[in-house]
Amino acid sequence: KYHYNAPRILFHCRAGISRSATLGVGYYGKQMRLDLTKAYSLMATRRPQISPNPGFIEALETFLG
């Protein structure tokens, strides 16, 4: 179960739009047992400008599939 007072993790890349967003979506998906759509939505509520490239989306589909 996810706890808001748990240790925080920072994913960082230069723009914070594709690479770090992909890691965040994957992390949320695995830790919270979410599918790609729900994990992506959760990440987008925290950073609306995310836009992982199509290759990363494919990898997330496989990873969270």
Side-chain angles (χ1 to χ4, degrees):
K1 186 172 182 182
Y2 182 76
H3 299 280
Y4 285 99
N5 57 355
R8 296 173 185 227
I9 297 172
L10 172 68
F11 298 103
H12 175 70
C13 65
R14 183 173 226 159
I17 295 171
S18 187
R19 291 173 294 198
S20 59
T22 300
L23 289 173
V25 171
Y27 179 80
Y28 280 140
K30 283 295 185 181
Q31 290 298 311
M32 299 174 73
R33 296 185 176 120
L34 302 173
D35 63 22
L36 176 56
T37 302
K38 290 178 183 172
Y40 189 98
S41 293
L42 180 62
M43 186 71 179
T45 63
R46 288 158 173 77
R47 186 155 175 86
Q49 63 269 48
I50 67 170
S51 182
N53 74 48
F56 290 165
I57 293 293
E58 281 185 40
L60 285 168
E61 288 173 344
T62 301
F63 183 66
L64 298 176

